[in-house]
Amino acid sequence: MSDQANRFLGDSIGRTLIKLIVVSLVVGFVMTVFGLTPWSIIDGVRDFVLEIWHRGFSALGRVGDYLILGATIVIPLFVILRLFSYRR
């Protein structure tokens, strides 16, 4: 069982635990210096996803506008070109 745990963790359980504690202290210190909390990170990710979601739908609205604007030129030209090629 110990060999499986060592293989999974990459080292002995004690050494892995010490490494995790040291890295947690360093990351906690850096987060404190920058004023970050776990909740602010979660809120930031949530706000980022919501912003992408809302901008995505506004982009879809703009695509519809572009489609209608382009169609006012493309469809009459298509009809005219088809009429000229129909005579041949």
Side-chain angles (χ1 to χ4, degrees), residues 59-75:
L60 288 177
R62 284 186 303 222
V63 168
D65 293 342
Y66 296 153
L67 179 67
I68 292 170
L69 184 62
T72 60
I73 301 297
V74 171
I75 291 177

Side-chain angles (χ1 to χ4, degrees), residues 15-29:
R15 290 179 67 133
T16 303
L17 188 60
I18 290 172
K19 289 177 188 177
L20 288 173
I21 289 171
V22 170
V23 170
S24 294
L25 283 171
V26 170
V27 170
F29 176 75

Side-chain angles (χ1 to χ4, degrees), residues 3-73:
D3 287 339
Q4 290 176 343
N6 289 347
R7 195 174 319 131
F8 175 74
L9 296 173
D11 207 350
S12 68
I13 295 174
R15 290 179 67 133
T16 303
L17 188 60
I18 290 172
K19 289 177 188 177
L20 288 173
I21 289 171
V22 170
V23 170
S24 294
L25 283 171
V26 170
V27 170
F29 176 75
V30 170
M31 287 178 65
T32 301
V33 167
F34 288 110
L36 296 173
T37 64
W39 289 116
S40 68
I41 293 172
I42 291 171
D43 288 340
V45 170
R46 181 188 55 112
D47 293 342
F48 177 72
V49 170
L50 287 174
E51 185 68 23
I52 288 176
W53 181 267
H54 293 300
R55 287 188 186 264
F57 283 118
S58 67
L60 288 177
R62 284 186 303 222
V63 168
D65 293 342
Y66 296 153
L67 179 67
I68 292 170
L69 184 62
T72 60
I73 301 297

